[in-house]
Amino acid sequence: MDSTLYRLVYLSRNTIVGDDSRLQEEIDDILKASRRNNSRAQVTGALMFNSGCFAQVLEGPHDKIQETFERIQCDARHTHVSVLAFDPVHERGFSEWNMAYVGQDAHNLALFAGLNEASGVDFAALDGDEVYRLLRGHLEEAETA
Ligand SMILES: Cc1cc2nc3c(=O)[nH]c(=O)nc-3n(C[C@H](O)[C@H](O)[C@H](O)COP(=O)(O)O)c2cc1C
């Protein structure tokens, strides 16, 4: 069995409409399903969200990532899913999280502003490593805060 670890990074556009509490409900639902399914599938990662877009990192065995991502791609809560990277990696960056969540506080809004700035109009032109480092950096900061 191939035990190589893979990391997939994608960006997508949010299609959830409504007020903050409706958004929060949907995010809670996504995180609940993610944590339940990912822990069974040995998938770890992080999800970042603002009203405009999602960025997600998934890491784990190749077939498990593929299965998980196929479900995610069919989800009507987002569109324009754009894969930035799907590569073998030596270790997990989010080993402690079946799905860490980076929400929309002021700091994250600034990070997303950086994302949009870095990529210009076509935000999908961003590099997978950049998105990975942003999410990792954010969680490291949150842990030491
Ligand atoms: C942005 C986004 C990220 C998601 N991430 C995951 C994930 O990491 N793992 C997962 O199982 N489902 C994830 N989902 C939810 C799936 O699309 C799907 O609703 C869910 O896997 C169905 O699980 P269930 O059959 O156990 O109800 C995500 C959905 C969205 C919109």
Side-chain angles (χ1 to χ4, degrees), residues 79-125:
T79 181
H80 292 81
V81 177
S82 167
V83 176
L84 303 185
F86 189 21
D87 300 310
V89 288
H90 293 299
E91 56 182 7
R92 292 177 191 259
F94 301 96
S95 55
E96 288 161 45
W97 294 276
N98 283 120
M99 194 43 61
Y101 177 57
V102 177
Q104 43 179 351
D105 61 26
H107 179 68
N108 297 333
L109 288 176
L111 282 182
F112 256 120
L115 271 183
N116 289 326
E117 220 170 83
S119 59
V121 180
D122 179 11
F123 85 149

mmCIF file of all heavy atoms in Angstrom, residues 79-125:
data_model
loop_
_atom_site.group_PDB
_atom_site.id
_atom_site.type_symbol
_atom_site.label_atom_id
_atom_site.label_comp_id
_atom_site.label_asym_id
_atom_site.label_seq_id
_atom_site.Cartn_x
_atom_site.Cartn_y
_atom_site.Cartn_z
ATOM 1 N N THR A 79 -17.907 27.517 -5.337
ATOM 2 C CA THR A 79 -17.777 27.316 -6.788
ATOM 3 C C THR A 79 -16.369 27.756 -7.218
ATOM 4 O O THR A 79 -15.593 28.225 -6.378
ATOM 5 C CB THR A 79 -18.888 28.116 -7.514
ATOM 6 O OG1 THR A 79 -18.755 27.900 -8.912
ATOM 7 C CG2 THR A 79 -18.786 29.611 -7.254
ATOM 8 N N HIS A 80 -16.052 27.606 -8.504
ATOM 9 C CA HIS A 80 -14.729 27.997 -9.004
ATOM 10 C C HIS A 80 -13.610 27.384 -8.162
ATOM 11 O O HIS A 80 -12.690 28.078 -7.743
ATOM 12 C CB HIS A 80 -14.566 29.515 -9.022
ATOM 13 C CG HIS A 80 -15.436 30.197 -10.026
ATOM 14 N ND1 HIS A 80 -16.755 30.464 -9.787
ATOM 15 C CD2 HIS A 80 -15.178 30.653 -11.268
ATOM 16 C CE1 HIS A 80 -17.286 31.068 -10.837
ATOM 17 N NE2 HIS A 80 -16.348 31.180 -11.761
ATOM 18 N N VAL A 81 -13.741 26.090 -7.901
ATOM 19 C CA VAL A 81 -12.717 25.414 -7.092
ATOM 20 C C VAL A 81 -11.441 25.286 -7.935
ATOM 21 O O VAL A 81 -11.472 24.742 -9.033
ATOM 22 C CB VAL A 81 -13.214 24.023 -6.635
ATOM 23 C CG1 VAL A 81 -12.121 23.295 -5.858
ATOM 24 C CG2 VAL A 81 -14.480 24.159 -5.796
ATOM 25 N N SER A 82 -10.363 25.821 -7.401
ATOM 26 C CA SER A 82 -9.133 25.883 -8.186
ATOM 27 C C SER A 82 -7.971 25.277 -7.383
ATOM 28 O O SER A 82 -7.584 25.784 -6.325
ATOM 29 C CB SER A 82 -8.886 27.360 -8.500
ATOM 30 O OG SER A 82 -7.604 27.529 -8.984
ATOM 31 N N VAL A 83 -7.451 24.152 -7.883
ATOM 32 C CA VAL A 83 -6.371 23.445 -7.169
ATOM 33 C C VAL A 83 -5.044 24.153 -7.406
ATOM 34 O O VAL A 83 -4.651 24.396 -8.549
ATOM 35 C CB VAL A 83 -6.285 21.973 -7.640
ATOM 36 C CG1 VAL A 83 -5.114 21.259 -6.981
ATOM 37 C CG2 VAL A 83 -7.586 21.245 -7.343
ATOM 38 N N LEU A 84 -4.373 24.493 -6.322
ATOM 39 C CA LEU A 84 -3.073 25.171 -6.429
ATOM 40 C C LEU A 84 -1.926 24.175 -6.329
ATOM 41 O O LEU A 84 -0.846 24.419 -6.872
ATOM 42 C CB LEU A 84 -2.922 26.209 -5.313
ATOM 43 C CG LEU A 84 -3.999 27.290 -5.213
ATOM 44 C CD1 LEU A 84 -3.619 28.283 -4.141
ATOM 45 C CD2 LEU A 84 -4.196 27.987 -6.543
ATOM 46 N N ALA A 85 -2.145 23.090 -5.589
ATOM 47 C CA ALA A 85 -1.071 22.103 -5.421
ATOM 48 C C ALA A 85 -1.677 20.775 -4.999
ATOM 49 O O ALA A 85 -2.680 20.743 -4.277
ATOM 50 C CB ALA A 85 -0.085 22.586 -4.356
ATOM 51 N N PHE A 86 -1.070 19.688 -5.479
ATOM 52 C CA PHE A 86 -1.401 18.340 -4.998
ATOM 53 C C PHE A 86 -0.113 17.541 -5.135
ATOM 54 O O PHE A 86 0.168 16.965 -6.177
ATOM 55 C CB PHE A 86 -2.549 17.745 -5.825
ATOM 56 C CG PHE A 86 -3.096 16.440 -5.258
ATOM 57 C CD1 PHE A 86 -2.901 16.081 -3.928
ATOM 58 C CD2 PHE A 86 -3.832 15.579 -6.058
ATOM 59 C CE1 PHE A 86 -3.410 14.900 -3.403
ATOM 60 C CE2 PHE A 86 -4.351 14.385 -5.551
ATOM 61 C CZ PHE A 86 -4.141 14.048 -4.224
ATOM 62 N N ASP A 87 0.685 17.555 -4.077
ATOM 63 C CA ASP A 87 2.048 17.033 -4.158
ATOM 64 C C ASP A 87 2.372 16.140 -2.963
ATOM 65 O O ASP A 87 1.816 16.333 -1.886
ATOM 66 C CB ASP A 87 3.056 18.198 -4.133
ATOM 67 C CG ASP A 87 2.848 19.155 -5.289
ATOM 68 O OD1 ASP A 87 2.756 18.679 -6.426
ATOM 69 O OD2 ASP A 87 2.756 20.373 -5.029
ATOM 70 N N PRO A 88 3.334 15.219 -3.147
ATOM 71 C CA PRO A 88 3.818 14.451 -2.001
ATOM 72 C C PRO A 88 4.569 15.364 -1.027
ATOM 73 O O PRO A 88 5.266 16.296 -1.488
ATOM 74 C CB PRO A 88 4.783 13.433 -2.613
ATOM 75 C CG PRO A 88 4.816 13.670 -4.063
ATOM 76 C CD PRO A 88 3.994 14.856 -4.398
ATOM 77 N N VAL A 89 4.421 15.116 0.245
ATOM 78 C CA VAL A 89 5.142 15.913 1.262
ATOM 79 C C VAL A 89 5.749 14.964 2.288
ATOM 80 O O VAL A 89 5.331 13.821 2.415
ATOM 81 C CB VAL A 89 4.207 16.937 1.974
ATOM 82 C CG1 VAL A 89 3.838 18.082 1.053
ATOM 83 C CG2 VAL A 89 2.952 16.284 2.545
ATOM 84 N N HIS A 90 6.762 15.476 3.011
ATOM 85 C CA HIS A 90 7.445 14.618 3.993
ATOM 86 C C HIS A 90 6.681 14.502 5.302
ATOM 87 O O HIS A 90 6.736 13.489 5.974
ATOM 88 C CB HIS A 90 8.854 15.153 4.270
ATOM 89 C CG HIS A 90 9.734 15.032 3.085
ATOM 90 N ND1 HIS A 90 10.032 13.813 2.533
ATOM 91 C CD2 HIS A 90 10.358 15.962 2.323
ATOM 92 C CE1 HIS A 90 10.807 13.993 1.477
ATOM 93 N NE2 HIS A 90 11.013 15.302 1.327
ATOM 94 N N GLU A 91 6.009 15.591 5.654
ATOM 95 C CA GLU A 91 5.294 15.535 6.936
ATOM 96 C C GLU A 91 4.052 16.399 6.888
ATOM 97 O O GLU A 91 3.906 17.259 6.024
ATOM 98 C CB GLU A 91 6.212 15.991 8.076
ATOM 99 C CG GLU A 91 6.777 17.375 7.853
ATOM 100 C CD GLU A 91 7.732 17.800 8.961
ATOM 101 O OE1 GLU A 91 8.055 16.976 9.827
ATOM 102 O OE2 GLU A 91 8.127 18.973 8.940
ATOM 103 N N ARG A 92 3.179 16.171 7.862
ATOM 104 C CA ARG A 92 1.955 16.957 7.953
ATOM 105 C C ARG A 92 2.257 18.314 8.578
ATOM 106 O O ARG A 92 3.048 18.398 9.515
ATOM 107 C CB ARG A 92 0.922 16.229 8.828
ATOM 108 C CG ARG A 92 0.372 14.961 8.227
ATOM 109 C CD ARG A 92 -0.587 14.280 9.200
ATOM 110 N NE ARG A 92 -0.913 12.938 8.739
ATOM 111 C CZ ARG A 92 -2.052 12.614 8.106
ATOM 112 N NH1 ARG A 92 -2.970 13.525 7.871
ATOM 113 N NH2 ARG A 92 -2.270 11.381 7.705
ATOM 114 N N GLY A 93 1.601 19.331 8.075
ATOM 115 C CA GLY A 93 1.721 20.651 8.684
ATOM 116 C C GLY A 93 0.625 20.887 9.713
ATOM 117 O O GLY A 93 0.703 21.815 10.528
ATOM 118 N N PHE A 94 -0.422 20.052 9.659
ATOM 119 C CA PHE A 94 -1.576 20.274 10.552
ATOM 120 C C PHE A 94 -1.931 18.981 11.288
ATOM 121 O O PHE A 94 -3.106 18.632 11.398
ATOM 122 C CB PHE A 94 -2.785 20.757 9.729
ATOM 123 C CG PHE A 94 -2.520 22.029 8.985
ATOM 124 C CD1 PHE A 94 -2.121 21.997 7.658
ATOM 125 C CD2 PHE A 94 -2.626 23.254 9.622
ATOM 126 C CE1 PHE A 94 -1.852 23.171 6.968
ATOM 127 C CE2 PHE A 94 -2.357 24.438 8.941
ATOM 128 C CZ PHE A 94 -1.974 24.397 7.616
ATOM 129 N N SER A 95 -0.876 18.283 11.754
ATOM 130 C CA SER A 95 -1.098 16.939 12.307
ATOM 131 C C SER A 95 -2.078 16.931 13.474
ATOM 132 O O SER A 95 -2.695 15.909 13.754
ATOM 133 C CB SER A 95 0.228 16.315 12.729
ATOM 134 O OG SER A 95 0.883 17.167 13.627
ATOM 135 N N GLU A 96 -2.231 18.044 14.150
ATOM 136 C CA GLU A 96 -3.113 18.049 15.328
ATOM 137 C C GLU A 96 -4.557 18.427 14.992
ATOM 138 O O GLU A 96 -5.398 18.479 15.877
ATOM 139 C CB GLU A 96 -2.587 19.042 16.360
ATOM 140 C CG GLU A 96 -1.321 18.553 17.030
ATOM 141 C CD GLU A 96 -0.565 19.685 17.674
ATOM 142 O OE1 GLU A 96 -1.212 20.518 18.340
ATOM 143 O OE2 GLU A 96 0.656 19.748 17.471
ATOM 144 N N TRP A 97 -4.825 18.712 13.723
ATOM 145 C CA TRP A 97 -6.170 19.184 13.378
ATOM 146 C C TRP A 97 -6.791 18.357 12.263
ATOM 147 O O TRP A 97 -6.264 18.333 11.148
ATOM 148 C CB TRP A 97 -6.110 20.637 12.881
ATOM 149 C CG TRP A 97 -5.708 21.648 13.890
ATOM 150 C CD1 TRP A 97 -6.517 22.260 14.807
ATOM 151 C CD2 TRP A 97 -4.404 22.207 14.077
ATOM 152 N NE1 TRP A 97 -5.781 23.148 15.551
ATOM 153 C CE2 TRP A 97 -4.497 23.145 15.133
ATOM 154 C CE3 TRP A 97 -3.166 22.010 13.470
ATOM 155 C CZ2 TRP A 97 -3.403 23.876 15.581
ATOM 156 C CZ3 TRP A 97 -2.072 22.719 13.911
ATOM 157 C CH2 TRP A 97 -2.200 23.641 14.954
ATOM 158 N N ASN A 98 -7.949 17.741 12.534
ATOM 159 C CA ASN A 98 -8.678 17.101 11.439
ATOM 160 C C ASN A 98 -9.239 18.163 10.514
ATOM 161 O O ASN A 98 -9.393 17.927 9.324
ATOM 162 C CB ASN A 98 -9.772 16.185 11.962
ATOM 163 C CG ASN A 98 -9.180 14.883 12.467
ATOM 164 O OD1 ASN A 98 -9.331 14.540 13.624
ATOM 165 N ND2 ASN A 98 -8.456 14.199 11.610
ATOM 166 N N MET A 99 -9.521 19.330 11.049
ATOM 167 C CA MET A 99 -9.766 20.502 10.210
ATOM 168 C C MET A 99 -9.715 21.758 11.095
ATOM 169 O O MET A 99 -10.658 22.070 11.809
ATOM 170 C CB MET A 99 -11.125 20.413 9.476
ATOM 171 C CG MET A 99 -11.307 21.428 8.344
ATOM 172 S SD MET A 99 -9.834 21.645 7.269
ATOM 173 C CE MET A 99 -9.610 19.997 6.587
ATOM 174 N N ALA A 100 -8.555 22.403 11.049
ATOM 175 C CA ALA A 100 -8.412 23.653 11.794
ATOM 176 C C ALA A 100 -9.203 24.732 11.062
ATOM 177 O O ALA A 100 -9.349 24.680 9.837
ATOM 178 C CB ALA A 100 -6.940 24.037 11.859
ATOM 179 N N TYR A 101 -9.705 25.690 11.806
ATOM 180 C CA TYR A 101 -10.497 26.733 11.163
ATOM 181 C C TYR A 101 -9.892 28.108 11.415
ATOM 182 O O TYR A 101 -9.599 28.465 12.551
ATOM 183 C CB TYR A 101 -11.926 26.694 11.698
ATOM 184 C CG TYR A 101 -12.786 27.796 11.136
ATOM 185 C CD1 TYR A 101 -12.940 27.922 9.755
ATOM 186 C CD2 TYR A 101 -13.419 28.707 11.965
ATOM 187 C CE1 TYR A 101 -13.713 28.936 9.221
ATOM 188 C CE2 TYR A 101 -14.206 29.719 11.438
ATOM 189 C CZ TYR A 101 -14.343 29.829 10.064
ATOM 190 O OH TYR A 101 -15.093 30.834 9.530
ATOM 191 N N VAL A 102 -9.706 28.821 10.344
ATOM 192 C CA VAL A 102 -9.213 30.191 10.423
ATOM 193 C C VAL A 102 -10.346 31.074 9.920
ATOM 194 O O VAL A 102 -10.641 31.101 8.734
ATOM 195 C CB VAL A 102 -7.946 30.355 9.551
ATOM 196 C CG1 VAL A 102 -7.463 31.778 9.575
ATOM 197 C CG2 VAL A 102 -6.854 29.405 10.027
ATOM 198 N N GLY A 103 -11.022 31.725 10.849
ATOM 199 C CA GLY A 103 -12.236 32.461 10.507
ATOM 200 C C GLY A 103 -12.010 33.888 10.065
ATOM 201 O O GLY A 103 -10.917 34.243 9.624
ATOM 202 N N GLN A 104 -13.051 34.701 10.219
ATOM 203 C CA GLN A 104 -12.934 36.035 9.640
ATOM 204 C C GLN A 104 -12.803 37.135 10.693
ATOM 205 O O GLN A 104 -13.581 38.057 10.719
ATOM 206 C CB GLN A 104 -14.056 36.331 8.667
ATOM 207 C CG GLN A 104 -15.439 35.932 9.046
ATOM 208 C CD GLN A 104 -16.411 36.341 7.952
ATOM 209 O OE1 GLN A 104 -16.085 37.045 7.012
ATOM 210 N NE2 GLN A 104 -17.645 35.910 8.087
ATOM 211 N N ASP A 105 -11.803 37.007 11.569
ATOM 212 C CA ASP A 105 -11.530 38.138 12.455
ATOM 213 C C ASP A 105 -10.664 39.154 11.684
ATOM 214 O O ASP A 105 -10.274 38.911 10.532
ATOM 215 C CB ASP A 105 -10.871 37.682 13.765
ATOM 216 C CG ASP A 105 -9.546 36.990 13.535
ATOM 217 O OD1 ASP A 105 -8.907 37.263 12.505
ATOM 218 O OD2 ASP A 105 -9.150 36.180 14.383
ATOM 219 N N ALA A 106 -10.371 40.248 12.337
ATOM 220 C CA ALA A 106 -9.695 41.349 11.632
ATOM 221 C C ALA A 106 -8.361 40.899 11.042
ATOM 222 O O ALA A 106 -8.024 41.221 9.897
ATOM 223 C CB ALA A 106 -9.475 42.501 12.594
ATOM 224 N N HIS A 107 -7.650 40.072 11.808
ATOM 225 C CA HIS A 107 -6.339 39.614 11.350
ATOM 226 C C HIS A 107 -6.478 38.794 10.062
ATOM 227 O O HIS A 107 -5.725 38.962 9.108
ATOM 228 C CB HIS A 107 -5.717 38.772 12.458
ATOM 229 C CG HIS A 107 -4.377 38.223 12.095
ATOM 230 N ND1 HIS A 107 -3.279 39.026 11.926
ATOM 231 C CD2 HIS A 107 -3.980 36.960 11.840
ATOM 232 C CE1 HIS A 107 -2.245 38.261 11.594
ATOM 233 N NE2 HIS A 107 -2.649 37.015 11.527
ATOM 234 N N ASN A 108 -7.482 37.919 10.061
ATOM 235 C CA ASN A 108 -7.665 37.075 8.880
ATOM 236 C C ASN A 108 -8.133 37.867 7.670
ATOM 237 O O ASN A 108 -7.791 37.546 6.534
ATOM 238 C CB ASN A 108 -8.665 35.964 9.165
ATOM 239 C CG ASN A 108 -8.160 35.067 10.241
ATOM 240 O OD1 ASN A 108 -6.957 34.950 10.405
ATOM 241 N ND2 ASN A 108 -9.056 34.469 10.988
ATOM 242 N N LEU A 109 -8.936 38.878 7.946
ATOM 243 C CA LEU A 109 -9.367 39.713 6.832
ATOM 244 C C LEU A 109 -8.146 40.355 6.188
ATOM 245 O O LEU A 109 -8.038 40.451 4.971
ATOM 246 C CB LEU A 109 -10.366 40.765 7.299
ATOM 247 C CG LEU A 109 -11.746 40.196 7.662
ATOM 248 C CD1 LEU A 109 -12.654 41.294 8.205
ATOM 249 C CD2 LEU A 109 -12.406 39.527 6.458
ATOM 250 N N ALA A 110 -7.194 40.734 7.037
ATOM 251 C CA ALA A 110 -5.961 41.338 6.515
ATOM 252 C C ALA A 110 -5.171 40.309 5.703
ATOM 253 O O ALA A 110 -4.637 40.615 4.641
ATOM 254 C CB ALA A 110 -5.117 41.871 7.668
ATOM 255 N N LEU A 111 -5.155 39.061 6.208
ATOM 256 C CA LEU A 111 -4.447 38.013 5.465
ATOM 257 C C LEU A 111 -5.092 37.792 4.103
ATOM 258 O O LEU A 111 -4.413 37.665 3.095
ATOM 259 C CB LEU A 111 -4.495 36.690 6.231
ATOM 260 C CG LEU A 111 -3.554 36.507 7.402
ATOM 261 C CD1 LEU A 111 -3.728 35.112 7.986
ATOM 262 C CD2 LEU A 111 -2.116 36.692 6.964
ATOM 263 N N PHE A 112 -6.425 37.790 4.108
ATOM 264 C CA PHE A 112 -7.136 37.586 2.839
ATOM 265 C C PHE A 112 -6.908 38.765 1.903
ATOM 266 O O PHE A 112 -6.791 38.585 0.696
ATOM 267 C CB PHE A 112 -8.634 37.379 3.068
ATOM 268 C CG PHE A 112 -9.050 35.951 2.920
ATOM 269 C CD1 PHE A 112 -9.632 35.266 3.973
ATOM 270 C CD2 PHE A 112 -8.841 35.278 1.731
ATOM 271 C CE1 PHE A 112 -10.006 33.934 3.840
ATOM 272 C CE2 PHE A 112 -9.211 33.951 1.584
ATOM 273 C CZ PHE A 112 -9.797 33.275 2.650
ATOM 274 N N ALA A 113 -6.850 39.961 2.491
ATOM 275 C CA ALA A 113 -6.562 41.126 1.659
ATOM 276 C C ALA A 113 -5.208 40.904 1.000
ATOM 277 O O ALA A 113 -5.012 41.173 -0.181
ATOM 278 C CB ALA A 113 -6.564 42.387 2.505
ATOM 279 N N GLY A 114 -4.278 40.349 1.784
ATOM 280 C CA GLY A 114 -2.941 40.045 1.253
ATOM 281 C C GLY A 114 -3.029 39.030 0.137
ATOM 282 O O GLY A 114 -2.367 39.161 -0.891
ATOM 283 N N LEU A 115 -3.893 38.026 0.325
ATOM 284 C CA LEU A 115 -4.073 37.002 -0.710
ATOM 285 C C LEU A 115 -4.541 37.635 -2.008
ATOM 286 O O LEU A 115 -4.004 37.384 -3.069
ATOM 287 C CB LEU A 115 -5.151 36.005 -0.283
ATOM 288 C CG LEU A 115 -4.785 34.782 0.533
ATOM 289 C CD1 LEU A 115 -6.003 33.917 0.765
ATOM 290 C CD2 LEU A 115 -3.732 33.972 -0.175
ATOM 291 N N ASN A 116 -5.574 38.464 -1.872
ATOM 292 C CA ASN A 116 -6.129 39.075 -3.076
ATOM 293 C C ASN A 116 -5.123 39.993 -3.762
ATOM 294 O O ASN A 116 -5.027 40.025 -4.980
ATOM 295 C CB ASN A 116 -7.407 39.839 -2.742
ATOM 296 C CG ASN A 116 -8.536 38.885 -2.398
ATOM 297 O OD1 ASN A 116 -8.605 37.803 -2.966
ATOM 298 N ND2 ASN A 116 -9.384 39.265 -1.469
ATOM 299 N N GLU A 117 -4.376 40.698 -2.915
ATOM 300 C CA GLU A 117 -3.364 41.616 -3.445
ATOM 301 C C GLU A 117 -2.268 40.847 -4.183
ATOM 302 O O GLU A 117 -1.877 41.176 -5.281
ATOM 303 C CB GLU A 117 -2.714 42.337 -2.267
ATOM 304 C CG GLU A 117 -2.428 43.791 -2.502
ATOM 305 C CD GLU A 117 -2.027 44.400 -1.185
ATOM 306 O OE1 GLU A 117 -0.834 44.265 -0.839
ATOM 307 O OE2 GLU A 117 -2.899 44.947 -0.488
ATOM 308 N N ALA A 118 -1.847 39.737 -3.514
ATOM 309 C CA ALA A 118 -0.742 38.957 -4.072
ATOM 310 C C ALA A 118 -1.116 38.379 -5.429
ATOM 311 O O ALA A 118 -0.269 38.178 -6.284
ATOM 312 C CB ALA A 118 -0.363 37.832 -3.117
ATOM 313 N N SER A 119 -2.388 38.113 -5.635
ATOM 314 C CA SER A 119 -2.772 37.411 -6.853
ATOM 315 C C SER A 119 -3.426 38.326 -7.890
ATOM 316 O O SER A 119 -3.750 37.882 -8.971
ATOM 317 C CB SER A 119 -3.750 36.296 -6.499
ATOM 318 O OG SER A 119 -4.862 36.862 -5.867
ATOM 319 N N GLY A 120 -3.625 39.566 -7.519
ATOM 320 C CA GLY A 120 -4.286 40.472 -8.454
ATOM 321 C C GLY A 120 -5.724 40.049 -8.646
ATOM 322 O O GLY A 120 -6.353 39.517 -7.733
ATOM 323 N N VAL A 121 -6.244 40.236 -9.836
ATOM 324 C CA VAL A 121 -7.646 39.916 -10.090
ATOM 325 C C VAL A 121 -7.869 38.402 -10.032
ATOM 326 O O VAL A 121 -8.818 37.909 -9.457
ATOM 327 C CB VAL A 121 -8.083 40.454 -11.478
ATOM 328 C CG1 VAL A 121 -9.538 40.114 -11.743
ATOM 329 C CG2 VAL A 121 -7.849 41.945 -11.563
ATOM 330 N N ASP A 122 -6.914 37.660 -10.606
ATOM 331 C CA ASP A 122 -7.061 36.210 -10.670
ATOM 332 C C ASP A 122 -6.477 35.591 -9.405
ATOM 333 O O ASP A 122 -5.308 35.238 -9.359
ATOM 334 C CB ASP A 122 -6.326 35.693 -11.909
ATOM 335 C CG ASP A 122 -6.432 34.180 -12.009
ATOM 336 O OD1 ASP A 122 -7.233 33.602 -11.252
ATOM 337 O OD2 ASP A 122 -5.706 33.613 -12.835
ATOM 338 N N PHE A 123 -7.307 35.441 -8.374
ATOM 339 C CA PHE A 123 -6.765 34.967 -7.107
ATOM 340 C C PHE A 123 -6.295 33.527 -7.186
ATOM 341 O O PHE A 123 -5.522 33.063 -6.382
ATOM 342 C CB PHE A 123 -7.738 35.235 -5.957
ATOM 343 C CG PHE A 123 -8.816 34.199 -5.724
ATOM 344 C CD1 PHE A 123 -9.285 33.988 -4.437
ATOM 345 C CD2 PHE A 123 -9.371 33.476 -6.758
ATOM 346 C CE1 PHE A 123 -10.287 33.050 -4.203
ATOM 347 C CE2 PHE A 123 -10.368 32.546 -6.533
ATOM 348 C CZ PHE A 123 -10.828 32.329 -5.242
ATOM 349 N N ALA A 124 -6.754 32.817 -8.231
ATOM 350 C CA ALA A 124 -6.330 31.431 -8.400
ATOM 351 C C ALA A 124 -4.891 31.318 -8.918
ATOM 352 O O ALA A 124 -4.351 30.230 -9.010
ATOM 353 C CB ALA A 124 -7.283 30.712 -9.340
ATOM 354 N N ALA A 125 -4.286 32.461 -9.232
ATOM 355 C CA ALA A 125 -2.906 32.431 -9.698
ATOM 356 C C ALA A 125 -1.935 32.269 -8.526
ATOM 357 O O ALA A 125 -0.729 32.170 -8.714
ATOM 358 C CB ALA A 125 -2.587 33.705 -10.477
#
